Amino acid sequence: LETLATRYGDQAVQFIGEGGEAPFFLYMAFAHMHVPQNHAKQFDNVSKTGGEFGNTLRELDWTVGRVLDALDKNNIAQDTLVIFTTDNGPWETKCNLTGSKGPFQGTWQRTVGGGGGTGKFTTWEGGHRAPTVVHWPGHVAANRVSHALASSLDIFPTLVSLAGGKMPANRMYDGVDLSDVLLNGNDSAGNTHLFHPNSGAGNPIGNLTAMRVGQYKVFFETAPAGDCKGPKGKGMKHDPPLIFDLGTDLAEEHPLAASHPNYENIVSQAKQLLVAVNEDIARDNTTVVDYKEDKADEPCCNKKHLCCRCTD
């Protein structure tokens, strides 16, 4: 593991250098910043305040820099869109081996909700909101902060659009095209709402228990994850739902009162959107193969096979 990031960087630089001016797609799924945190010896003790987490973060930064340098060296930086993002917030049970949630503290959970972590696995902002940096010289303005509502689901339709393609019209998509956000700074072209599926802090996994409606965060259920220290509260269902105004309350500390002039309208919108997305999910094409019976899929039921999908 100590050499993994270096090898990722080596392969990426080689791939870019050998590609010439041909279009390419490069996906780098780093092991950083997940635990266990290992890094090359040159990054021992380079972080003055972050310990092993800081050392590993410095290596990640260096590796990304190598990729950007390779784009410059091959004179294709202005023809290459780079998206740097992550999939969740800090894993708080790892204590000093995790990052910071910044202002996204999920304070209601820690005070009224009985405690517990509000990072990874939860639907609090500290669990689902993640940093994203986009780099495309000459196309995406530098040093601009976008407040558009976006998710990783938007990457696919955005890339299709930028490549001049069209999405098939005979299906529904969870993401939206963010081209106008990136190229023109039009933050209103982002999502009007987003759903936050339960990611393991409550049950069952995958249920849509929280969502964004514009600047508002709506919770039909709250639940904590594990924490570095302190008590872990219990999951709670909310009817009527808890609503936080993220425009003024990033810490999710003070839910709107039911008497708030926007409360009933937000609840109505949220429930309509939730019904619509669940109906769409129910209509989706899902497999009906019985992996334990269908001989055509026998490798999937060989428990020694890498792709085994049997559960018993």
Side-chain angles (χ1 to χ4, degrees), residues 57-103:
L57 185 60
R58 291 286 294 272
E59 183 178 49
L60 174 62
D61 178 71
W62 173 76
T63 307
V64 173
R66 292 184 64 197
V67 175
L68 296 181
D69 288 344
L71 297 177
D72 287 331
K73 181 180 178 181
N74 289 277
N75 299 313
I76 56 173
Q78 292 190 331
D79 298 321
T80 307
L81 170 65
V82 178
I83 301 173
F84 179 86
T85 190
T86 185
D87 56 349
N88 52 253
W91 193 356
E92 293 180 291
T93 56
K94 301 305 176 182
C95 302
N96 62 334
L97 295 179
T98 191
S100 167
K101 292 181 298 184

Side-chain angles (χ1 to χ4, degrees), residues 29 32 42 62 66-67 76 82 104 114 124 133 139 147 150 154 177 182 194 208 210 250 252-253 290 296:
H32 295 346
Q42 70 188 81
W62 173 76
R66 292 184 64 197
V67 175
I76 56 173
V82 178
F104 311 113
W124 296 99
V133 178
H139 301 274
H147 296 283
D154 303 324
D177 176 12
L182 299 178
L194 285 178
L208 301 178
L250 291 176
E252 295 172 295
E253 182 175 7
D290 185 341

Side-chain angles (χ1 to χ4, degrees), residues 212-227:
R212 282 284 297 273
V213 179
Q215 71 192 59
Y216 298 100
K217 180 76 166 290
V218 182
F219 284 94
F220 296 98
E221 182 179 343
T222 53
D227 202 356

